[in-house]
Amino acid sequence: MQLVRDYIEGGARVVSYEAAFADITVLGDTALARFNATESLLEADGSPRTVRYAGTDYLVRVDGTWKVRATTVAFLPEDDAQE
């Protein structure tokens, strides 16, 4: 996460974010949520950048509210992008 913070602090900014859930599995007070996401960014120099990735969140229910406890991210190759 420090790399992401450094990237944003360096002047890049998120223009849009879209996520689509592949599936969510609930096991009592824990859950796994798999998703695919696309972020449109502006680099510090003003050039556009699109990042596509797949992620998995591990969630725990605490006092009736779901909290993300861990996230994994796998960046998708540019060739797999669907236009």
Side-chain angles (χ1 to χ4, degrees):
M1 285 307 295
Q2 186 60 49
L3 291 174
V4 173
R5 284 192 280 286
D6 291 346
Y7 180 68
I8 297 300
E9 288 173 2
R13 68 180 182 91
V14 177
V15 175
S16 67
Y17 173 85
E18 295 179 35
F21 283 97
D23 60 48
I24 300 172
T25 302
V26 178
L27 303 166
D29 286 336
T30 63
L32 290 175
R34 294 185 315 130
F35 61 93
N36 296 311
T38 301
E39 285 188 38
S40 296
L41 306 151
L42 275 182
E43 299 280 15
D45 66 4
S47 61
R49 178 180 181 196
T50 300
V51 178
R52 292 177 177 82
Y53 57 92
T56 302
D57 287 344
Y58 171 70
L59 300 98
V60 176
R61 189 173 11 214
V62 178
D63 297 327
T65 302
W66 289 101
K67 307 288 184 181
V68 175
R69 293 297 188 216
T71 299
T72 59
V73 173
F75 290 97
L76 301 174
E78 292 294 323
D79 295 339
D80 290 348
Q82 295 180 11
E83 299 297 324

